[in-house]
Every structure is written in structure tokens, then in C-alpha cells.
Amino acid sequence: MNRLKICFNIMCGFCNLMLREDNYHGFGYAYQDFVRLPRFVSSRTNRYKPFFIAILLFLLSFKASAVDIYVSLKGIDTNLGTKEKPLATLHAAIRKARELRRLNDSSIKDGVKIIMGKGIYQLHEPLVLRPEDSGTKDSPTEIIANEKVVLSGGVKIKGWKKLSGNVVGLPKESIGKVWVTDVPNFDGSDLQFRQLWVNGNKAIRAKNYNGDAMGRILSWNTETETCKIPMQKGINLANVKGMEMLIHQWWAIANLRVKSVKVVGNEAELSFMQPESRIQSEHPWPAPWISDQTGNSAFYLSNAIQFLNEPGEWFGDLENHKLYYWPKPSENMLNAEVIAPAIENLLKIEGTVDNPVSFVNFKGISFEHSTWLRPSKHGHVPHQAGMYMLDAYKLKTPGTPDKAALENQAWVGRPTSAVEVTYANHTSFENCRFEHLASTGLDYKKGTSDNLIQGNLFKDVGGSAILIGTFSDEATEVHLPYNPSDKREISTNDRIENNLITDITNEDWGAVGIGAGYVRGIKILHNEISDVSYSGISMGWGWTKTQNAMKNNTISANKIHHYGKHMYDVAGIYTLSAQPESFITENAIDSIYKAPYAHLPEHWFYLYTDEGSSYFTIKNNWTPSEKYLQNVNGPDNLWENNGPKVSERIKQQAGLEKPFQFLLKEKSVYSNRGINQAEDKSVVFELIFKNDNIPGNKDLENFAKENNLKASSIYKWNNRLVIYTSSLKVESLQQTLKRLNAQEIKLYDNLFYDFNREKNCGNKPVAEWDNIILSANLVEDEKMQKEYLDYHKTQFEKWPEISKGFCNAEFQRLAIFKKNRQLMLIISIPKGKKLDDLNPKTTLNNPKVDEWNSIMKKYQEGIEGTKPDEVWVYFKPIE
């Protein structure tokens, strides 16, 4: 019996008493008069009037829907938590709600709302929600902000004064421009931090190269665990205490604490602290890059006073308890708001596998100013997606039970996050803000199900915006497939929808926008992701074709652009491992940055299904070109209708849906470093099989579906296959064609002759055409081969009749590729027409074509397997 019912019964009972005194009889009459209570009271004796007024006021003020607990910066934690008497902290409000649930108080039948008043709430420790704080479907707990509410792990730094005099090591150009204050005390000792925000903008930890500039290492010695770098003019590396090195390595960076510096001439040899020194030198992927063609790995040094030489930089001298900053022209240090992060976790939701946290919702809350100190204490050598290596090395003898060719082992840890959720279901974060954070923003780590992350802003985040699901437990080698016997450990049926993710991974460049590990039934829908150092969405872990915990996952209608800001081996959407019944559909991906320190400048992609990716449907994704990579994929992937010809509607509808587009005003200003463009050229692959062991048409059709090919692009002749395709697919096909077990695979990318109807005839090509593929050899005489090529170089000028004949015959294109002395000829004709009908038109009233053909015959002969009088052989399409 709840309070409202109790009060109603008391009221009715008293009415009955009054009615009996006035010769009224029966509960029905009493109820009727209760409805007419104001008139009834006024007409009765004054001795009952005070009682009725008190009861009426109580009933009018009573709210049956839920208990409201108020929190205000003006409150006191000993208050009742009413609007008039609010609590001071969210911690106290959570405890009050917990007690109401523990006592099974009838007031919470329809839920608990903790309503926070506007302002910045400084946290000295993480807020923790436990199973006892759970709500129910009918009685959820909601933490709500209707105005700007910030849960901050930061400390304001005050007391700034302009530095007078000089400090040892401070560059000459900085004298008279730097301000100083004391490093604040936090919980009994000097505050340690790696980030600093001035008036809401992240300042730069002093480094030896200014702006986006970086140097290039000279060498890396894995035996001595040392790195040589060039010495900069005017930079003194004598005092290395606290100095760090950031090194750029393919898809990850490493933060290495410098132990010592040995200067010899124009070079400096660096050694590093343990354990990162050993891990950095032993692990093979990713490793320091050494290349004469594209340059060695980029690097910069940081955290030394001798690097404090431009506006916007800071240096913390923890040994002498001082903080130095060179303000920007727009900053006045007498009134600037300077904040350093102090705690790593702002909020932790911690359930257990048997007793998860349930039905807790956060709405409109801002989470700001978290720190991350692992790189300062242990170094940071990531494996991928921000997961750092605890141990890693190359195997002397490759191979594991799950992967015969595996040549390395690694065990990883997971970076800390501002908000961590473990073993929770039916929780949500809606319309929240995650800003000014050192590492991951929001991490649903393990054992989560039916949770919602919707309508949030993630901006200025040092690591990934969102991580979800198990990647690898610290005790488990990363390549081992994860499939626990207790399925409650698997993150299942979570939804990530309509979030704006921008300016993230700005500390750990190898982190990602949204990173999903071993997840099941996840829906990643209608998010917009931009200004990312590495990949937009990464889903999967393990590098394995083996069936595992993952299945039924969907990445759909997301808009991903301006990514790959610093790293390569990158994609808008990236996957790993077998994920049956999973879909990547109707996403729009565009504008990958030209990262300035690329190891392989062309190694970037819009879609990237990496090792073991299996059982995916990749369909109707809009990208400017088909720049995709399929690396060691498994079986049963379906690629269909992806690229620039996808419906404009799909492109327009990707990203935030209309109710969430107000977030777009928060987008970052993009870098001006330029956008990569993919040049789409034609190439030909030829596969030669031993003993006519050529795959059947059905197998080849399945191969085409799995590898982003049209079956019509595959042709056969005797023991040979030819695939006429795009240069954008070369890298993928060089991997996947190995599955067909050909004796030899040849790539023809030397296009030495190209007749184009639009260019050479002045006519637009038809909408659709068929390709006719023929092959022949040039004679072995190298002098004659050169003559043949010279004829074709000057054909358009000296033999214009040939082009005229091709125009008459409706040829859309005629291209000739050469590999050694073998030629591949592609003739493109209008779809549905026959070459035998069109070819005679080339010589009609055009005797020069006959003359040309007669000359060419002496340079050509049949390929291996042709008959004695046979020169050009026709490859027939498989369908």
C-alpha cells in the first residue's frame, strides 16, 4: 500500500465520521462529497477545517510518478535532497537513492530522478555505481541535467606570475614571455598530469619540434634497445629527467621515457626506461620504420624546459614544484581559467556477472578533465586501437594451434577511461558530453547488454571516443579467439547511435573513433565521426577465421570523414576475425587526410576487412572510389554495390538523424593538410594453373562475391584465368588470389597503349559495355619488341586512320598491357553487340588499317598452349 492510498483512506475515513455526525450513511455518499471537498469543507463546522486543509495540501504536493532528489552547488549533503533543501554532491544523491531501494520504499515505485543543478562539480575520486544502485524497468534511476552540469576531474591552477629572471635551460627566445606558478597539491602530493587546458583549449606539452613538424629517426638498434636521432641546432639534450620520445609506427605510436642521451657529433643516441624499452625493441608489429624511399619513422621529444619556445606550450617541473606556460596573445594569465586533470576515472559502473547494474540512465551530463598517467609511469607501446602491450615478441619458430603462420605473440592491457562500465544492462548515456579527456571517453568493458549510447558529443578526447566489449584479457594472448563458456561475459545487443565524435585520438594517435572488440548483436548506427588520427570504426579482435564470440553485428548509416590524420594502414571502417551474419551497410565514408609521415603513402582505405574477417555482408556503402583492402579474409563475405555509384540518398541519410543534428555545431575545424585522392586505373591479373586444375565457374562466382569483384570481370582460356579490374583492388587481390592455388600469378599494370572513344573520337561513351580480352606474345627479338612499342607510341599522330577505324567500329576503349613480352588486349564494345559484327567496320573504306595489321603480324606470336598458326587467343567470360 503506497502513501497516496494510505492518505486517501485516511481522508475517506474521516469524511465518513463527519457524514455520520450529519446523518449521512455509507461510503458511497462519503466519496461523492469527498470529490466536492472544498464546498463540503466550507459548509461544515470550523473544527474540521484545519485538518482538511492540511490533508488537501499534502495530496496536491504529492508526486506519485517518481522520487526526485535534487543536487546543487549550494546544497549540503545533510539536507533532505528536496528542491528547497538540495544535496551538494552526486555521491550523496546516489547513496540516498540506494537507501530508498534497500528499504523498498514505496515512493520509488515509478523510479528515482536525481536532478542536478547547473555548475561544475569537482571530483576527488570516481563516482561508483554498484548492483545495489540498480533500478528496474518500471523504476529506473535517472541522473538528469536540464542545464549545463559538469562532472570534472580537473583542478584549477591559479597564482600565475610573469617569470622574472632566467631559469636554467629556458630558451633565450622565451625569456620575458613565460609565466609561472606552483604545481598544486592534490591529495597530499604534487599533482602529476600530462594535459593542460587554458580557457577550454588544450595547451601543448613543450616539445622539440613546433607545430605539426616531426623529425626522422636515423636508426633503431633492437639488440641495444637504442635509437639514434639527428641533433637539432640550438637544442641541448643534457638534462633528460622526465623527457619522453613519441615515435610514429604505421598504425600506432609509442611513448618512451628517455633514460639517457649520448651525443656524438650531429647525432644523439637515446636509451629508454623499462619495461617499454624491451617491448619496443622486441615486438615486430608495429615496429620502427626504416626506408630510403619513404623516410624513417617520425618522432618528437617532449617534456623538457629547453623545448618551451613558442606560445601555447607548457612545462611542469615536478622536481622543483613549478609550472611554466607561454601564453598565446589572446590569453591573459591574470584571469585565465587553467585546468589540469587529476583523476583517471570520473564514473565507474561496476556490476558482477551474477549481479549486474541495471536500469541506470545519465541524461545531459558533461564529463570533463580526466587524466591518464600510465605513459609517465610505465611508457606506452600500443599493439592496436590503443591497447598497450604488456609483453610482446617475435617467435623463433612460427605457428600456434589456431594460426600456423603466426610469427609473433602479444599480451595487452586496456587504457583507462573517463567513464567505465562493467557488467551492466539497460543503462544509457543520452545527450551527454565527453570533453577534455586524456584517454578513452566511454568504455563498456565487459558483460554489458541492451545498453544505449545516444545523442552524445565526444570532443577533445585523447584516446578512443567509445570502446565496447572484450578485446583481450591481460592473461590471454591477443591472437587466441575469445568465446567464453559463460555468454554473459559477452557484450550483447548494445546500441551506439546518433553520436557526434570529433577531435579525438589527439594523445594516442593509434586509438579509434568507435572500437568494438568481441561483441555480439551490436548496432552502430547514424554516428558522425571526424578529425580522427587513425580509423573511424574498428570492430573485431583476434586476427582469426575461427568461430568466436562475435556474430550478428551491424555498422550502418554512419558518416565518417576527415580521418587518418596521423596514421596509415587505416580505414573508415575496419574489421577483424569471423563475425557470422554481420553487416556493413549504407555508410558514407570520405576525406581521408594526407598524413605527412606515411610509411606507404598509398596504404589507406575506405573499407578494410583485415585478417580473418569472415561472413560479412558489405553492401551499399558510398565512397568516392573503391579503395578497399581485403587482407587474409575468411570465407563467405559478400561485397555488393559499394563505391561512388551508390544512391545519393544513402550518402545524404548517413550520419546524424534530424533530431540530433543540433550537435553539428560542435564539429571541429579540420586540418588544411589535404585530402587523399585515389587514381583509378585499369589492370589485368593472369593466373596460370598446373595440369588444367582451374576452378569451376561456380567457385569463381563465389570468389567474386567475396572479393568485391563482378563475375563478369573473370575470363578463361585453357589453363589460364584473366581478371580485368581496377588498380584500387590490386593490394587486396594480391592477397586473396593466392586462395585459388594458381601455379603463377601475373599482374599487368604497364598500360602502353590506350584508345579512348571520348578523347580520340569526340563522342561520349555508351552507358554500358562488354570487354573482349585477347592475349599474344611479342617475338623474342628485343629490337623488334622496341619497334612494336615505338609504332604504338606514335600511332595516334602518324596513323590517325587506325583511330578512325576504331571510332567507326563503335569501340569504346582499346587498351594494351604488357608484362615481359606478353600482351593483354582489351577491346570494349557496346553491351549486347558482337565483336565479329563490329570489327569489319575498322577496315571499311580504310585500307590503312589493313596495312597496319599486316605490319603488326611480324611482331606477334602465340602464347604457350596455342596452335602453330594461332596468335591472338580469346579469353571467354565465365558467365
Side-chain angles (χ1 to χ4, degrees), residues 15 80 92 145 193 238 253 272 290 319 321 389 428 521 528 534 608 649 666 675 702 771 815 841 848 851 854:
C15 288
L80 293 175
F193 52 94
I253 54 95
F272 307 97
I290 306 295
E319 187 174 0
H321 318 289
M389 286 184 270
S428 70
E528 179 162 339
Y534 182 46
Y608 186 169
R649 175 190 61 82
E666 302 285 353
I675 300 300
N702 289 335
N771 296 310
K841 296 180 181 180
K848 274 286 190 178
E851 183 182 349
S854 178

PDB file of all heavy atoms in Angstrom, residues 15 80 92 145 193 238 253 272 290 319 321 389 428 521 528 534 608 649 666 675 702 771 815 841 848 851 854:
ATOM      1  N   CYS A  15     -13.954  11.550   6.494  1.00  0.00           N
ATOM      2  CA  CYS A  15     -15.192  12.054   5.894  1.00  0.00           C
ATOM      3  C   CYS A  15     -16.386  11.243   6.387  1.00  0.00           C
ATOM      4  O   CYS A  15     -17.447  11.779   6.660  1.00  0.00           O
ATOM      5  CB  CYS A  15     -15.115  11.994   4.379  1.00  0.00           C
ATOM      6  SG  CYS A  15     -14.010  13.233   3.674  1.00  0.00           S
ATOM      7  N   LEU A  80      17.752  17.082   2.974  1.00  0.00           N
ATOM      8  CA  LEU A  80      16.843  16.007   2.588  1.00  0.00           C
ATOM      9  C   LEU A  80      16.931  15.691   1.099  1.00  0.00           C
ATOM     10  O   LEU A  80      16.481  14.633   0.654  1.00  0.00           O
ATOM     11  CB  LEU A  80      15.402  16.390   2.940  1.00  0.00           C
ATOM     12  CG  LEU A  80      15.078  16.502   4.430  1.00  0.00           C
ATOM     13  CD1 LEU A  80      13.661  17.011   4.615  1.00  0.00           C
ATOM     14  CD2 LEU A  80      15.263  15.154   5.114  1.00  0.00           C
ATOM     15  N   ALA A  92      26.266  11.807  -2.682  1.00  0.00           N
ATOM     16  CA  ALA A  92      25.255  11.733  -1.626  1.00  0.00           C
ATOM     17  C   ALA A  92      23.887  11.379  -2.200  1.00  0.00           C
ATOM     18  O   ALA A  92      23.110  10.646  -1.580  1.00  0.00           O
ATOM     19  CB  ALA A  92      25.188  13.068  -0.882  1.00  0.00           C
ATOM     20  N   ALA A 145      20.432  16.343 -16.052  1.00  0.00           N
ATOM     21  CA  ALA A 145      20.786  17.758 -16.009  1.00  0.00           C
ATOM     22  C   ALA A 145      19.962  18.487 -17.058  1.00  0.00           C
ATOM     23  O   ALA A 145      19.996  18.138 -18.233  1.00  0.00           O
ATOM     24  CB  ALA A 145      22.267  17.947 -16.285  1.00  0.00           C
ATOM     25  N   PHE A 193      50.390  15.391 -14.082  1.00  0.00           N
ATOM     26  CA  PHE A 193      49.449  15.484 -15.197  1.00  0.00           C
ATOM     27  C   PHE A 193      50.219  15.568 -16.503  1.00  0.00           C
ATOM     28  O   PHE A 193      51.392  15.936 -16.538  1.00  0.00           O
ATOM     29  CB  PHE A 193      48.526  16.698 -15.038  1.00  0.00           C
ATOM     30  CG  PHE A 193      49.230  18.001 -14.807  1.00  0.00           C
ATOM     31  CD1 PHE A 193      49.527  18.852 -15.866  1.00  0.00           C
ATOM     32  CD2 PHE A 193      49.607  18.387 -13.523  1.00  0.00           C
ATOM     33  CE1 PHE A 193      50.176  20.058 -15.654  1.00  0.00           C
ATOM     34  CE2 PHE A 193      50.271  19.592 -13.303  1.00  0.00           C
ATOM     35  CZ  PHE A 193      50.549  20.429 -14.369  1.00  0.00           C
ATOM     36  N   ALA A 238      71.096  17.745 -22.557  1.00  0.00           N
ATOM     37  CA  ALA A 238      71.851  17.298 -21.388  1.00  0.00           C
ATOM     38  C   ALA A 238      70.948  16.844 -20.246  1.00  0.00           C
ATOM     39  O   ALA A 238      71.200  15.834 -19.603  1.00  0.00           O
ATOM     40  CB  ALA A 238      72.778  18.422 -20.924  1.00  0.00           C
ATOM     41  N   ILE A 253      51.481   4.742 -32.308  1.00  0.00           N
ATOM     42  CA  ILE A 253      52.637   5.484 -31.813  1.00  0.00           C
ATOM     43  C   ILE A 253      53.127   4.779 -30.542  1.00  0.00           C
ATOM     44  O   ILE A 253      52.464   3.896 -29.997  1.00  0.00           O
ATOM     45  CB  ILE A 253      52.291   6.953 -31.514  1.00  0.00           C
ATOM     46  CG1 ILE A 253      51.075   7.063 -30.565  1.00  0.00           C
ATOM     47  CG2 ILE A 253      51.994   7.709 -32.790  1.00  0.00           C
ATOM     48  CD1 ILE A 253      51.391   7.200 -29.128  1.00  0.00           C
ATOM     49  N   PHE A 272      66.201   4.011 -23.189  1.00  0.00           N
ATOM     50  CA  PHE A 272      64.871   4.217 -22.613  1.00  0.00           C
ATOM     51  C   PHE A 272      64.665   3.410 -21.339  1.00  0.00           C
ATOM     52  O   PHE A 272      65.391   2.455 -21.054  1.00  0.00           O
ATOM     53  CB  PHE A 272      63.809   3.849 -23.652  1.00  0.00           C
ATOM     54  CG  PHE A 272      63.997   4.548 -24.966  1.00  0.00           C
ATOM     55  CD1 PHE A 272      64.643   3.919 -26.029  1.00  0.00           C
ATOM     56  CD2 PHE A 272      63.582   5.857 -25.130  1.00  0.00           C
ATOM     57  CE1 PHE A 272      64.837   4.575 -27.234  1.00  0.00           C
ATOM     58  CE2 PHE A 272      63.770   6.528 -26.331  1.00  0.00           C
ATOM     59  CZ  PHE A 272      64.408   5.881 -27.385  1.00  0.00           C
ATOM     60  N   ILE A 290      62.173   1.878 -41.220  1.00  0.00           N
ATOM     61  CA  ILE A 290      63.424   2.349 -41.813  1.00  0.00           C
ATOM     62  C   ILE A 290      63.304   2.188 -43.317  1.00  0.00           C
ATOM     63  O   ILE A 290      63.155   1.068 -43.819  1.00  0.00           O
ATOM     64  CB  ILE A 290      64.647   1.555 -41.294  1.00  0.00           C
ATOM     65  CG1 ILE A 290      64.696   1.577 -39.752  1.00  0.00           C
ATOM     66  CG2 ILE A 290      65.929   2.094 -41.892  1.00  0.00           C
ATOM     67  CD1 ILE A 290      64.921   2.943 -39.151  1.00  0.00           C
ATOM     68  N   GLU A 319      60.154  18.317 -10.075  1.00  0.00           N
ATOM     69  CA  GLU A 319      61.237  18.273  -9.095  1.00  0.00           C
ATOM     70  C   GLU A 319      61.292  19.562  -8.274  1.00  0.00           C
ATOM     71  O   GLU A 319      61.562  19.545  -7.074  1.00  0.00           O
ATOM     72  CB  GLU A 319      62.574  18.036  -9.809  1.00  0.00           C
ATOM     73  CG  GLU A 319      63.736  17.812  -8.854  1.00  0.00           C
ATOM     74  CD  GLU A 319      65.013  17.433  -9.588  1.00  0.00           C
ATOM     75  OE1 GLU A 319      64.984  17.347 -10.825  1.00  0.00           O
ATOM     76  OE2 GLU A 319      66.032  17.224  -8.914  1.00  0.00           O
ATOM     77  N   HIS A 321      58.623  21.756  -8.284  1.00  0.00           N
ATOM     78  CA  HIS A 321      57.228  22.113  -7.977  1.00  0.00           C
ATOM     79  C   HIS A 321      56.750  23.352  -8.748  1.00  0.00           C
ATOM     80  O   HIS A 321      55.929  24.128  -8.233  1.00  0.00           O
ATOM     81  CB  HIS A 321      57.057  22.357  -6.461  1.00  0.00           C
ATOM     82  CG  HIS A 321      57.779  21.372  -5.606  1.00  0.00           C
ATOM     83  ND1 HIS A 321      57.370  20.062  -5.495  1.00  0.00           N
ATOM     84  CD2 HIS A 321      58.892  21.505  -4.842  1.00  0.00           C
ATOM     85  CE1 HIS A 321      58.212  19.417  -4.677  1.00  0.00           C
ATOM     86  NE2 HIS A 321      59.151  20.267  -4.285  1.00  0.00           N
ATOM     87  N   MET A 389      50.850  -2.923 -25.044  1.00  0.00           N
ATOM     88  CA  MET A 389      51.475  -4.233 -24.865  1.00  0.00           C
ATOM     89  C   MET A 389      52.092  -4.372 -23.474  1.00  0.00           C
ATOM     90  O   MET A 389      52.891  -3.549 -23.050  1.00  0.00           O
ATOM     91  CB  MET A 389      52.516  -4.462 -25.949  1.00  0.00           C
ATOM     92  CG  MET A 389      51.897  -4.748 -27.299  1.00  0.00           C
ATOM     93  SD  MET A 389      53.083  -5.130 -28.606  1.00  0.00           S
ATOM     94  CE  MET A 389      53.409  -3.494 -29.247  1.00  0.00           C
ATOM     95  N   SER A 428      22.095   3.732 -19.893  1.00  0.00           N
ATOM     96  CA  SER A 428      22.189   4.605 -21.056  1.00  0.00           C
ATOM     97  C   SER A 428      22.925   5.892 -20.733  1.00  0.00           C
ATOM     98  O   SER A 428      22.941   6.351 -19.575  1.00  0.00           O
ATOM     99  CB  SER A 428      20.794   4.932 -21.606  1.00  0.00           C
ATOM    100  OG  SER A 428      20.089   5.779 -20.716  1.00  0.00           O
ATOM    101  N   GLY A 521      25.693  -8.843 -31.614  1.00  0.00           N
ATOM    102  CA  GLY A 521      24.429  -8.131 -31.776  1.00  0.00           C
ATOM    103  C   GLY A 521      24.540  -6.637 -31.606  1.00  0.00           C
ATOM    104  O   GLY A 521      23.529  -5.964 -31.372  1.00  0.00           O
ATOM    105  N   GLU A 528      28.277  10.293 -36.582  1.00  0.00           N
ATOM    106  CA  GLU A 528      29.186  11.056 -37.430  1.00  0.00           C
ATOM    107  C   GLU A 528      30.535  11.141 -36.739  1.00  0.00           C
ATOM    108  O   GLU A 528      30.630  11.547 -35.573  1.00  0.00           O
ATOM    109  CB  GLU A 528      28.663  12.456 -37.735  1.00  0.00           C
ATOM    110  CG  GLU A 528      29.641  13.236 -38.613  1.00  0.00           C
ATOM    111  CD  GLU A 528      29.040  14.438 -39.322  1.00  0.00           C
ATOM    112  OE1 GLU A 528      27.802  14.473 -39.486  1.00  0.00           O
ATOM    113  OE2 GLU A 528      29.799  15.328 -39.728  1.00  0.00           O
ATOM    114  N   TYR A 534      43.404   7.997 -36.586  1.00  0.00           N
ATOM    115  CA  TYR A 534      43.520   6.665 -37.181  1.00  0.00           C
ATOM    116  C   TYR A 534      42.163   6.307 -37.783  1.00  0.00           C
ATOM    117  O   TYR A 534      41.569   7.098 -38.498  1.00  0.00           O
ATOM    118  CB  TYR A 534      44.009   5.682 -36.112  1.00  0.00           C
ATOM    119  CG  TYR A 534      44.228   4.263 -36.559  1.00  0.00           C
ATOM    120  CD1 TYR A 534      44.906   3.969 -37.746  1.00  0.00           C
ATOM    121  CD2 TYR A 534      43.783   3.196 -35.781  1.00  0.00           C
ATOM    122  CE1 TYR A 534      45.114   2.657 -38.145  1.00  0.00           C
ATOM    123  CE2 TYR A 534      43.990   1.885 -36.167  1.00  0.00           C
ATOM    124  CZ  TYR A 534      44.654   1.617 -37.349  1.00  0.00           C
ATOM    125  OH  TYR A 534      44.853   0.323 -37.739  1.00  0.00           O
ATOM    126  N   TYR A 608      38.109  -1.756 -44.900  1.00  0.00           N
ATOM    127  CA  TYR A 608      39.281  -2.606 -44.708  1.00  0.00           C
ATOM    128  C   TYR A 608      38.859  -3.809 -43.878  1.00  0.00           C
ATOM    129  O   TYR A 608      38.664  -3.704 -42.671  1.00  0.00           O
ATOM    130  CB  TYR A 608      40.361  -1.785 -44.002  1.00  0.00           C
ATOM    131  CG  TYR A 608      41.726  -2.403 -43.813  1.00  0.00           C
ATOM    132  CD1 TYR A 608      42.789  -1.606 -43.381  1.00  0.00           C
ATOM    133  CD2 TYR A 608      41.998  -3.748 -44.035  1.00  0.00           C
ATOM    134  CE1 TYR A 608      44.056  -2.110 -43.187  1.00  0.00           C
ATOM    135  CE2 TYR A 608      43.255  -4.279 -43.848  1.00  0.00           C
ATOM    136  CZ  TYR A 608      44.289  -3.453 -43.420  1.00  0.00           C
ATOM    137  OH  TYR A 608      45.547  -3.967 -43.220  1.00  0.00           O
ATOM    138  N   ARG A 649      20.897   9.121 -52.109  1.00  0.00           N
ATOM    139  CA  ARG A 649      20.044   9.086 -50.912  1.00  0.00           C
ATOM    140  C   ARG A 649      20.801   8.479 -49.728  1.00  0.00           C
ATOM    141  O   ARG A 649      20.721   8.978 -48.601  1.00  0.00           O
ATOM    142  CB  ARG A 649      18.781   8.264 -51.190  1.00  0.00           C
ATOM    143  CG  ARG A 649      17.877   8.065 -49.966  1.00  0.00           C
ATOM    144  CD  ARG A 649      16.787   7.046 -50.237  1.00  0.00           C
ATOM    145  NE  ARG A 649      17.361   5.739 -50.555  1.00  0.00           N
ATOM    146  CZ  ARG A 649      17.768   4.873 -49.625  1.00  0.00           C
ATOM    147  NH1 ARG A 649      17.689   5.183 -48.348  1.00  0.00           N
ATOM    148  NH2 ARG A 649      18.261   3.698 -49.987  1.00  0.00           N
ATOM    149  N   GLU A 666      29.058  21.602 -33.107  1.00  0.00           N
ATOM    150  CA  GLU A 666      30.240  21.326 -32.292  1.00  0.00           C
ATOM    151  C   GLU A 666      31.394  20.739 -33.107  1.00  0.00           C
ATOM    152  O   GLU A 666      32.432  20.407 -32.552  1.00  0.00           O
ATOM    153  CB  GLU A 666      29.882  20.326 -31.176  1.00  0.00           C
ATOM    154  CG  GLU A 666      28.767  20.782 -30.252  1.00  0.00           C
ATOM    155  CD  GLU A 666      29.225  21.848 -29.274  1.00  0.00           C
ATOM    156  OE1 GLU A 666      30.440  22.139 -29.224  1.00  0.00           O
ATOM    157  OE2 GLU A 666      28.364  22.369 -28.538  1.00  0.00           O
ATOM    158  N   ILE A 675      43.569  16.232 -48.664  1.00  0.00           N
ATOM    159  CA  ILE A 675      42.793  15.001 -48.674  1.00  0.00           C
ATOM    160  C   ILE A 675      43.351  14.069 -49.749  1.00  0.00           C
ATOM    161  O   ILE A 675      43.658  14.487 -50.864  1.00  0.00           O
ATOM    162  CB  ILE A 675      41.302  15.303 -48.969  1.00  0.00           C
ATOM    163  CG1 ILE A 675      40.727  16.242 -47.900  1.00  0.00           C
ATOM    164  CG2 ILE A 675      40.494  14.014 -49.057  1.00  0.00           C
ATOM    165  CD1 ILE A 675      40.767  15.699 -46.487  1.00  0.00           C
ATOM    166  N   ASN A 702      31.602 -17.435 -56.584  1.00  0.00           N
ATOM    167  CA  ASN A 702      31.663 -17.228 -55.130  1.00  0.00           C
ATOM    168  C   ASN A 702      32.879 -16.393 -54.762  1.00  0.00           C
ATOM    169  O   ASN A 702      32.809 -15.520 -53.884  1.00  0.00           O
ATOM    170  CB  ASN A 702      31.705 -18.570 -54.403  1.00  0.00           C
ATOM    171  CG  ASN A 702      30.382 -19.303 -54.468  1.00  0.00           C
ATOM    172  OD1 ASN A 702      29.323 -18.687 -54.635  1.00  0.00           O
ATOM    173  ND2 ASN A 702      30.418 -20.616 -54.344  1.00  0.00           N
ATOM    174  N   ASN A 771      33.571  -6.242 -72.339  1.00  0.00           N
ATOM    175  CA  ASN A 771      35.002  -6.268 -72.607  1.00  0.00           C
ATOM    176  C   ASN A 771      35.394  -7.578 -73.281  1.00  0.00           C
ATOM    177  O   ASN A 771      35.007  -8.660 -72.834  1.00  0.00           O
ATOM    178  CB  ASN A 771      35.790  -6.100 -71.308  1.00  0.00           C
ATOM    179  CG  ASN A 771      35.551  -4.747 -70.668  1.00  0.00           C
ATOM    180  OD1 ASN A 771      35.661  -3.725 -71.339  1.00  0.00           O
ATOM    181  ND2 ASN A 771      35.204  -4.733 -69.391  1.00  0.00           N
ATOM    182  N   ALA A 815      42.711  -1.066 -75.081  1.00  0.00           N
ATOM    183  CA  ALA A 815      43.883  -0.909 -74.219  1.00  0.00           C
ATOM    184  C   ALA A 815      44.790  -2.121 -74.365  1.00  0.00           C
ATOM    185  O   ALA A 815      44.314  -3.260 -74.495  1.00  0.00           O
ATOM    186  CB  ALA A 815      43.457  -0.752 -72.767  1.00  0.00           C
ATOM    187  N   LYS A 841      34.107  -3.100 -89.556  1.00  0.00           N
ATOM    188  CA  LYS A 841      33.936  -1.660 -89.766  1.00  0.00           C
ATOM    189  C   LYS A 841      35.246  -0.899 -89.621  1.00  0.00           C
ATOM    190  O   LYS A 841      35.375   0.240 -90.078  1.00  0.00           O
ATOM    191  CB  LYS A 841      32.900  -1.097 -88.796  1.00  0.00           C
ATOM    192  CG  LYS A 841      31.493  -1.660 -89.000  1.00  0.00           C
ATOM    193  CD  LYS A 841      30.524  -1.040 -87.999  1.00  0.00           C
ATOM    194  CE  LYS A 841      29.119  -1.616 -88.170  1.00  0.00           C
ATOM    195  NZ  LYS A 841      28.155  -1.037 -87.219  1.00  0.00           N
ATOM    196  N   LYS A 848      44.309   1.733 -94.710  1.00  0.00           N
ATOM    197  CA  LYS A 848      45.451   1.917 -93.809  1.00  0.00           C
ATOM    198  C   LYS A 848      45.401   0.940 -92.628  1.00  0.00           C
ATOM    199  O   LYS A 848      46.435   0.552 -92.094  1.00  0.00           O
ATOM    200  CB  LYS A 848      45.495   3.349 -93.290  1.00  0.00           C
ATOM    201  CG  LYS A 848      46.227   4.333 -94.194  1.00  0.00           C
ATOM    202  CD  LYS A 848      47.728   4.091 -94.086  1.00  0.00           C
ATOM    203  CE  LYS A 848      48.513   5.203 -94.763  1.00  0.00           C
ATOM    204  NZ  LYS A 848      49.963   4.998 -94.615  1.00  0.00           N
ATOM    205  N   GLU A 851      46.892  -2.230 -93.722  1.00  0.00           N
ATOM    206  CA  GLU A 851      48.347  -2.075 -93.766  1.00  0.00           C
ATOM    207  C   GLU A 851      48.956  -2.185 -92.364  1.00  0.00           C
ATOM    208  O   GLU A 851      49.980  -2.839 -92.160  1.00  0.00           O
ATOM    209  CB  GLU A 851      48.689  -0.724 -94.402  1.00  0.00           C
ATOM    210  CG  GLU A 851      50.181  -0.497 -94.564  1.00  0.00           C
ATOM    211  CD  GLU A 851      50.493   0.876 -95.142  1.00  0.00           C
ATOM    212  OE1 GLU A 851      49.565   1.578 -95.619  1.00  0.00           O
ATOM    213  OE2 GLU A 851      51.674   1.276 -95.095  1.00  0.00           O
ATOM    214  N   SER A 854      48.899  -5.751 -91.110  1.00  0.00           N
ATOM    215  CA  SER A 854      49.913  -6.551 -91.790  1.00  0.00           C
ATOM    216  C   SER A 854      51.291  -6.330 -91.179  1.00  0.00           C
ATOM    217  O   SER A 854      52.071  -7.269 -90.991  1.00  0.00           O
ATOM    218  CB  SER A 854      49.930  -6.205 -93.289  1.00  0.00           C
ATOM    219  OG  SER A 854      50.933  -6.924 -93.955  1.00  0.00           O
TER     220      SER A 854
END
